Amino acid sequence: MDPVYQALVARLTQSFVIHADESPVQLLQPRRTAYAWVYLGDAAHPYTLFDFTHGRGNEYPAAFLGGYAGFVQTDGYTGYNPVHGSGVRHLGCWAHVRRKFVEARDSAPGPASDALAFIRTLYAVESEIAAERLTSDSVVSLRRTRAGPILRRFGEWLETHNRTALPKSPLGQAIAYARNQWPTLGRYLDDARFAIGRVEEWRGTIVLLDPDMAGLNTDTMSQLHPTPVSTPRSSNRTCRFPASGSHPDRQAFAFGVAARWSGTGKSPSSSYR
């Protein structure tokens, strides 16, 4: 299956923008936490690939996306920094910003709800774009005229509340996250191929675990069958594993990745480039 997987990697990395995220996977033998990194291509290259690794360091996305010169949409995790081209190719994700303010709503309901109202309005613009089936320059024009002013007002709101929110409080952390990611969060305005960052961007699903398996180990990974079942459970559903229909190629690469890791005993990333 390795030639098939490598061919899919080559197609995926032709994307103008790649969406990326990572999630922990529990191993049984030895008992430890590993990681499954997921990479989703753009509309012209609709492939979803997983990279199973023993760690969460920045060397893994750097190896997988080595040589890729397009944009990468991620959250603020610094492990992706090597693939962002000094930040100029980093496309921020508003779904992760929203999650931070949802978490702050219990302790600071007023300000958190105000922030969520700004974000909800940004998503309403995207809903209008989808409903009217706008494309290319029409998308950019509507985003700039409708979402642009909302972004400016929200930016001012963040600066104002940053002066009064306790830094270690959930609200303070949500504000700090948004401010730190601010240069990346407005980039979606300028190209119709960019997404604001929503769960729907993960357009397909893949089988990682049999429902009866409590975890994985390096022996059982080679025995995984490419059958659509459930993805690993995670308390963070912001931009995690896909939840919609499958893709013809996706069942094939699941087994390819699992077998590669089991056969080498190390991260499959080491053989990509």
Side-chain angles (χ1 to χ4, degrees):
M1 301 301 293
D2 187 68
V4 175
Y5 186 79
Q6 294 289 357
L8 292 174
V9 172
R11 294 184 184 183
L12 174 79
T13 51
Q14 293 174 17
S15 299
F16 179 73
V17 57
I18 291 175
H19 308 266
D21 206 350
E22 81 289 340
S23 191
V25 177
Q26 293 302 314
L27 297 182
L28 292 179
Q29 298 292 335
R31 190 162 188 84
R32 58 170 296 176
T33 299
Y35 288 87
W37 305 71
V38 59
Y39 299 91
L40 173 67
D42 59 19
H45 307 87
Y47 301 97
T48 305
L49 299 181
F50 285 86
D51 181 21
F52 291 92
T53 69
H54 289 291
R56 194 175 175 236
N58 59 17
E59 66 270 24
Y60 300 114
F64 187 93
L65 294 174
Y68 176 68
F71 288 85
V72 183
Q73 185 167 38
T74 68
D75 60 12
Y77 175 46
T78 58
Y80 293 104
N81 284 356
V83 303
H84 287 323
S86 300
V88 297
R89 293 187 282 112
H90 182 191
L91 184 63
C93 177
W94 277 96
H96 284 87
V97 176
R98 180 185 181 278
R99 184 194 70 194
K100 299 290 185 180
F101 285 103
V102 169
E103 293 172 349
R105 197 159 46 186
D106 288 343
S107 57
S113 296
D114 290 343
L116 290 170
F118 279 113
I119 298 171
R120 185 163 55 248
T121 308
L122 294 175
Y123 276 82
V125 175
E126 297 303 301
S127 296
E128 183 176 343
I129 289 171
E132 297 185 10
R133 300 180 182 273
L134 300 181
T135 59
S136 193
D137 292 344
S138 297
V139 173
V140 173
S141 177
L142 186 63
R143 283 175 172 173
R144 288 177 175 174
T145 57
R146 295 279 300 283
I150 299 168
L151 279 173
R152 287 191 290 273
R153 291 198 296 272
F154 188 34
E156 295 168 356
W157 184 95
L158 289 170
E159 294 304 314
T160 298
H161 286 77
N162 183 57
R163 293 193 287 267
T164 58
L166 296 176
K168 294 185 178 180
S169 68
L171 178 64
Q173 292 177 11
I175 291 173
Y177 181 87
R179 292 179 72 245
N180 289 339
Q181 298 301 304
W182 197 252
T184 75
L185 291 169
R187 289 196 174 123
Y188 83 97
L189 298 181
D190 299 325
D191 198 299
R193 291 169 291 185
F194 290 155
I196 188 173
R198 56 182 185 265
V199 176
E200 289 81 0
E201 283 308 303
W202 304 98
R203 290 184 300 267
T205 191
I206 163 128
V207 176
L208 292 182
L209 300 178
D210 184 281
D212 296 327
M213 295 175 65
L216 295 174
N217 58 49
T218 53
D219 293 326
T220 59
M221 287 192 76
S222 62
Q223 301 171 15
L224 289 179
H225 297 292
T227 306
V229 291
S230 59
T231 57
R233 289 184 173 85
S234 171
S235 58
N236 176 1
R237 289 295 181 186
T238 308
C239 281
R240 293 298 177 185
F241 294 102
S244 57
S246 62
H247 183 282
D249 291 323
R250 288 176 181 139
Q251 294 184 6
F253 70 72
F255 182 79
V257 177
R260 187 207 311 270
W261 191 12
S262 177
T264 63
K266 59 183 179 180
S267 165
S269 294
S270 61
S271 62
Y272 286 161
R273 295 283 186 261

